[in-house]
Amino acid sequence: MELRVIEKTDEELRMEIAGEDHTFMNVLKGALLETPGVTAATYDMNPEQSGGQTEPILSIKTEDGTDPLDAVGDASRRVQGLADDFVAAFDAAA
């Protein structure tokens, strides 16, 4: 996975997340939408509508005082925690 910040302001972020597909992007978007201070989160990976781009572009908007990169970090840690919980539950059930 490679990350590239395309555009960042105090309350908006556009970031390319190379090597990922809808599966990961939907999970990350969902976690972002549950993150305090995030007002919008979406991604685009449709090359016809994006001028030939094939890697997903994550776009988020935050409230004043919430850094969008911090919000991505918080959401990513929450996704990791959920994955860890799932693996532990799976191992216990097996």
Side-chain angles (χ1 to χ4, degrees), residues 20 22 43-57:
E20 295 304 326
H22 289 289
Y43 71 92
D44 178 33
M45 56 191 310
N46 186 336
E48 285 102 33
Q49 295 177 349
S50 304
Q53 155 259 330
T54 58
E55 301 294 350
I57 304 292

Side-chain angles (χ1 to χ4, degrees), residues 10-22:
D10 290 343
E11 292 145 5
E12 294 187 29
L13 173 69
R14 291 185 66 236
M15 177 189 317
E16 180 181 67
I17 304 178
E20 295 304 326
D21 60 15
H22 289 289

Side-chain angles (χ1 to χ4, degrees), residues 1-2 8 25 28 38 46-47 53 80 82 84 92:
M1 176 184 304
E2 290 184 37
K8 182 186 180 302
M25 295 306 296
L28 180 59
V38 173
N46 186 336
Q53 155 259 330
Q80 180 64 51
L82 290 170
D84 291 344

Side-chain angles (χ1 to χ4, degrees), residues 68-92:
L69 283 174
D70 290 343
V72 172
D74 292 345
S76 298
R77 283 185 286 281
R78 199 164 43 265
V79 168
Q80 180 64 51
L82 290 170
D84 291 344
D85 291 347
F86 177 81
V87 169
F90 181 82
D91 289 343

